[in-house]
């Protein structure tokens, strides 16, 4: 994780850090081809076949099963409040909500789930963002987020608490939820992948802005620039005060 790439001193803060762009573009074209041939038609068919209410139930079920992983990550981040709130939400929705198919926690006015992941945990621990990468099947990411995805496979306690085949329910529900999203938001996704002048650059820009927004929790001034720990001189364009939001797209 400490080997996450860092930009050189001549790299403009207004440009995304993408040292693997040639390889990333090849993977992007592979992902587009796979989407066009398999995922898009499967998502549309899935969404057209299932009623909207059923899709919503499956999405809720998948998200509820991911909450134990969020609880673990909140604990690793030292976020006791987030861990407690997610625990209450998981217990309420797993019991009153019949395994998470319904969402009584929201109806009762409980706080929204934190949706914490290990990539966020690494950010809290001070691991730099690293270079932008596009992963086969999974799409846009960063080096830090990619490592987080790997660890998240092992951080959900339900994986170890449930016997087979019950421990695969979360994976199946998650895949179903992703197909549902691909069908529901088909027009938006198609406009990025197939109607943009440069779909790779468009997807990269949207991902980086959205991910950094998530890490800052939507509050201006709460985002620590990912390169701040790498450079220590006042003259460095990446040396920002702690708490500043160094969005390279903010012109």
């Amino acid at each position: 994780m400490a080997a996450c790439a860092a930009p050189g001193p001549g790299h403009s803060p207004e440009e995304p850090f993408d040292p693997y762009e040639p390889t990333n573009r090849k993977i992007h074209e592979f992902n587009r081809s796979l989407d066009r041939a398999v995922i898009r038609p499967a998502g549309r068919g899935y969404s057209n076949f299932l009623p909207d209410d059923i899709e919503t139930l499956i999405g809720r079920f998948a998200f509820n099963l991911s909450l134990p992983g969020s609880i673990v990550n909140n604990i690793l981040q030292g976020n006791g409040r987030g861990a407690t709130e997610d625990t209450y939400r998981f217990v309420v929705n797993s019991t009153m909500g019949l395994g998470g198919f319904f969402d009584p926690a929201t109806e009762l006015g409980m706080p929204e789930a934190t949706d914490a992941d290990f990539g966020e945990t690494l950010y809290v621990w001070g691991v730099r963002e690293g270079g932008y990468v596009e992963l086969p099947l999974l799409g846009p990411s960063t080096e830090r987020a990619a490592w987080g995805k790997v660890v998240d496979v092992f951080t959900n306690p339900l994986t170890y608490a449930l016997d087979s085949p019950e421990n695969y329910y979360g994976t199946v529900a998650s895949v179903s939820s992703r197909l549902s999203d691909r069908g529901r938001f088909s027009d938006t996704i198609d406009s990025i992948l197939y109607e943009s002048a440069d779909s790779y650059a468009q997807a990269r820009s949207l991902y980086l802005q959205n991910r950094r927004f998530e890490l800052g929790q939507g509050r201006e001034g709460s985002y620590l620039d990912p390169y701040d720990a790498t450079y220590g001189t006042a003259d460095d364009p990446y040396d920002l005060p702690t708490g500043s939001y160094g969005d390279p797209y903010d012109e």
Side-chain angles (χ1 to χ4, degrees):
M1 296 174 187
C4 287
H11 182 80
S12 171
E14 297 181 357
E15 297 294 329
F17 179 48
D18 190 358
Y20 316 113
E21 184 168 350
T23 301
N24 283 338
R25 284 188 176 273
K26 292 178 181 178
I27 297 175
H28 179 75
E29 287 305 314
F30 167 78
N31 286 339
R32 283 214 317 165
S33 299
L34 185 64
D35 179 81
R36 183 184 293 110
V38 179
I39 300 177
R40 179 171 63 169
R44 286 178 172 177
Y46 181 88
S47 187
N48 291 334
F49 175 75
L50 287 180
D52 290 344
D53 290 343
I54 300 299
E55 287 188 271
T56 299
L57 292 177
I58 294 176
R60 287 174 178 169
F61 178 70
F63 184 74
N64 189 62
L65 291 180
S66 72
L67 282 176
S70 294
I71 295 169
V72 170
N73 277 297
N74 276 308
I75 293 173
L76 293 174
Q77 294 171 25
N79 183 6
R81 179 175 180 178
T84 301
E85 292 175 350
D86 280 359
T87 299
Y88 287 155
R89 171 173 284 272
F90 177 71
V91 171
V92 169
N93 282 352
S94 296
T95 53
M96 297 173 60
L98 303 180
F101 286 109
F102 301 95
D103 188 14
T106 297
E107 296 176 4
L108 292 172
M110 297 178 66
E112 294 184 5
T114 61
D115 199 19
D117 55 52
F118 197 72
E120 179 182 318
T121 299
L122 292 176
Y123 160 72
V124 172
W125 289 353
V127 177
R128 59 179 174 238
E129 184 179 73
Y132 174 81
V133 294
E134 177 144 354
L135 304 174
L137 298 177
L138 300 179
S141 185
T142 61
E143 288 183 283
R144 180 177 63 199
W147 281 112
K149 292 178 188 295
V150 173
V151 177
D152 277 330
V153 174
F154 306 98
T155 54
N156 193 323
L158 292 182
T159 304
Y160 311 100
L162 299 177
D163 295 327
S164 180
E166 288 82 1
N167 57 349
Y168 296 110
Y169 288 172
T171 301
V172 173
S174 179
V175 171
S176 298
S177 181
R178 293 294 180 89
L179 279 178
S180 176
D181 289 342
R182 183 61 181 90
R184 285 185 172 187
F185 306 111
S186 182
D187 291 343
T188 301
I189 297 173
D190 287 352
S191 68
I192 297 172
L193 292 180
Y194 307 114
E195 299 173 16
S196 303
D198 186 346
S199 61
Y200 172 78
Q202 181 76 353
R204 179 182 62 193
S205 174
L206 290 172
Y207 171 80
L208 290 175
Q209 291 186 69
N210 183 65
R211 181 61 176 171
R212 291 166 183 176
F213 180 87
E214 289 176 344
L215 293 179
Q217 298 177 355
R219 298 190 297 272
E220 184 177 356
S222 63
Y223 180 73
L224 176 65
D225 186 87
Y227 309 120
D228 187 37
T230 309
Y231 300 97
T233 63
D235 294 331
D236 195 296
Y238 297 99
D239 188 17
L240 303 176
T242 300
S244 65
Y245 180 20
D247 188 348
Y249 303 100
D250 185 10
E251 298 179 355

